[in-house]
Amino acid sequence: MATKAELTRARLLNGAMASFAEHGFHGTGTRHIAAAAGMSPAAVYVHYSSKEELLYEITRAGHRELLTIVEAAAADDDADAPSRLKTLVCDFVVYHAQHRESASVVNYELTKLTPEHLAEVVGLRHGIDAAIRRVLTDGVRDGVFHIGDIAMTTTAVASLAVDVSRWFRDGRSRSPHEVGDYFASLALRMVGAPQDPN
Amino acid sequence: MATKAELTRARLLNGAMASFAEHGFHGTGTRHIAAAAGMSPAAVYVHYSSKEELLYEITRAGHRELLTIVEAAAADDDADAPSRLKTLVCDFVVYHAQHRESASVVNYELTKLTPEHLAEVVGLRHGIDAAIRRVLTDGVRDGVFHIGDIAMTTTAVASLAVDVSRWFRDGRSRSPHEVGDYFASLALRMVGAPQDPN
């Protein structure tokens, strides 16, 4: 069971995430975070030594979730490369659509981290790229993908998903899963996998 | 010939762009802009009434340039749809790689504009989408593109290019034109155009 301190920290992280998403890291003050968390400004620094520490925890947690999502899809040994790529892209896109605010903070505020924290997060990003690359490489080995440049195709697949947090809005015509399925079919085309016209 | 006031305004815009790219809109103060422009802080507000006005001019100018680029490719009536899409994506990507800093400001700081200014910029973005959509629609009409959802494919094509300003760094292994050419071939695959394995 979560302790009271853990629950308080979780509330503060949510408040900080919402504030960073609305005002940007630099535009966020202690008072924004406290108000969003329903706490007093003094309480913030009881639990966190700095605004950067809050950004670091949010960014690390978000990247760990993303890494878990893409690694689960990449490591499914019972499925062939096209099925794994489809699941990976769909889940990656759905996450960015459903967690639009936090994903924006996680992807676009990185440069405000300290060098040590940034290095750790860059390591997690390399893990995400490695999971995508593993699926692409397996598909080429199996003769079902035809890819000229695996590194650039990895980046392009990630771009389709990451950019969702910039443009997606709830209540527009497509649901997160509809975007995920469609972008998965585009990714399969990008790697030269046989596809029905979509 | 540019007047002295015009040159001063151009220096201020460049200084503001570099400051917004480094510190974010909210993290940028008058002193950052003045220092980046090599001017006194007092000079900034002789030429601009607010920081938002500088962001607006930068964002509007950037979107107008992008609109010119994609419309030129889309409107080339001597070329077929695949050639036009190739040129459009390549030029769009190269712009985002070569103007990484300003493109980041232009794409990711939009929410800091006043509602009136945002509405104007959103209008320019609709023009950019319309140019992409025109090429995709022409390709479908001519039977060379096979696209299930033109609106979502338009967004995906734009994503490939816009996201370049997030990840591209000078001096890495690929030049802007290499990325542009490769991403253009991926876009042609996304629309179901016949493509040699790339």
Side-chain angles (χ1 to χ4, degrees):
Chain A
M1 226 177 97
T3 65
K4 196 180 159 199
E6 284 165 350
L7 291 173
T8 305
R9 286 173 68 91
R11 267 171 67 194
L12 278 169
L13 283 176
N14 276 327
M17 188 275 289
S19 302
F20 293 153
E22 187 176 349
H23 308 291
F25 177 73
H26 286 300
T28 296
T30 309
R31 282 190 303 176
H32 292 118
I33 298 172
M39 295 165 63
S40 73
V44 175
Y45 289 118
V46 172
H47 295 275
Y48 287 95
S49 61
S50 69
K51 203 168 67 163
E52 191 275 342
E53 197 194 337
L54 283 157
L55 178 65
Y56 165 59
E57 292 232 0
I58 291 165
T59 306
R60 185 178 53 173
H63 278 88
R64 283 183 174 169
E65 280 190 82
L66 284 172
L67 183 60
T68 303
I69 287 170
V70 296
E71 283 190 338
D76 178 4
D77 290 329
D78 293 335
D80 59 12
S83 309
R84 285 153 67 208
L85 182 61
K86 195 171 173 176
T87 302
L88 187 155
V89 172
C90 188
D91 293 352
F92 201 178
V93 165
V94 167
Y95 182 90
H96 277 81
Q98 287 182 336
H99 301 82
R100 215 185 70 69
E101 275 198 333
S102 63
S104 295
V105 174
V106 160
N107 286 317
Y108 302 129
E109 300 280 4
L110 283 184
T111 52
K112 284 85 176 187
L113 294 173
T114 64
E116 293 75 19
H117 289 164
L118 179 60
E120 186 183 340
V121 172
V122 167
L124 293 167
R125 291 176 92 87
H126 286 162
I128 292 168
D129 278 354
I132 301 172
R133 204 162 49 240
R134 176 175 163 187
V135 178
L136 301 189
T137 307
D138 287 353
V140 170
R141 181 203 59 205
D142 298 343
V144 289
F145 294 167
H146 306 278
I147 300 174
D149 185 321
I150 288 188
M152 271 218 269
T153 308
T154 299
T155 302
V157 167
S159 278
L160 280 186
V162 167
D163 199 52
V164 166
S165 65
R166 180 183 61 84
W167 63 261
F168 187 81
R169 295 292 178 277
D170 280 327
R172 293 245 178 117
S173 48
R174 275 81 171 186
S175 72
H177 280 92
E178 284 168 340
V179 178
D181 282 341
Y182 193 75
F183 277 28
S185 70
L186 294 180
L188 283 168
R189 282 182 163 192
M190 288 202 305
V191 299
Q195 274 281 292
D196 294 330
N198 57 23
Chain B
M1 225 177 98
T3 65
K4 197 181 160 198
E6 283 166 350
L7 291 172
T8 304
R9 286 173 68 91
R11 265 170 69 193
L12 277 170
L13 282 177
N14 275 327
M17 188 275 288
S19 302
F20 293 153
E22 187 176 350
H23 308 290
F25 177 74
H26 286 301
T28 295
T30 309
R31 282 190 303 175
H32 292 119
I33 298 171
M39 294 165 65
S40 74
V44 175
Y45 291 116
V46 173
H47 296 275
Y48 287 95
S49 61
S50 70
K51 203 167 66 165
E52 191 273 343
E53 196 194 337
L54 282 157
L55 178 65
Y56 166 59
E57 292 233 359
I58 291 166
T59 306
R60 185 179 53 172
H63 278 87
R64 283 181 173 169
E65 280 190 84
L66 284 171
L67 182 61
T68 303
I69 287 170
V70 296
E71 282 190 338
D76 178 5
D77 290 329
D78 294 334
D80 59 13
S83 310
R84 284 152 68 207
L85 182 61
K86 196 170 172 176
T87 303
L88 188 155
V89 172
C90 188
D91 293 351
F92 202 177
V93 165
V94 166
Y95 182 90
H96 278 80
Q98 287 181 336
H99 301 83
R100 215 185 70 69
E101 275 198 336
S102 63
S104 295
V105 173
V106 160
N107 287 315
Y108 302 130
E109 302 279 3
L110 282 185
T111 53
K112 284 84 175 187
L113 294 174
T114 64
E116 293 74 19
H117 289 164
L118 179 60
E120 185 183 340
V121 171
V122 166
L124 293 166
R125 292 176 91 88
H126 286 162
I128 293 169
D129 278 355
I132 301 173
R133 203 162 50 241
R134 176 175 162 189
V135 178
L136 301 189
T137 308
D138 287 354
V140 169
R141 181 202 60 204
D142 297 343
V144 289
F145 294 168
H146 306 278
I147 300 174
D149 185 322
I150 287 187
M152 271 219 269
T153 308
T154 298
T155 302
V157 167
S159 277
L160 281 185
V162 167
D163 199 53
V164 166
S165 65
R166 182 184 59 84
W167 63 261
F168 188 81
R169 294 292 177 278
D170 280 328
R172 293 245 179 117
S173 47
R174 276 79 171 186
S175 71
H177 280 93
E178 284 167 341
V179 178
D181 282 341
Y182 193 75
F183 277 28
S185 70
L186 294 180
L188 282 168
R189 282 182 162 191
M190 289 202 304
V191 298
Q195 273 283 292
D196 294 330
N198 57 23

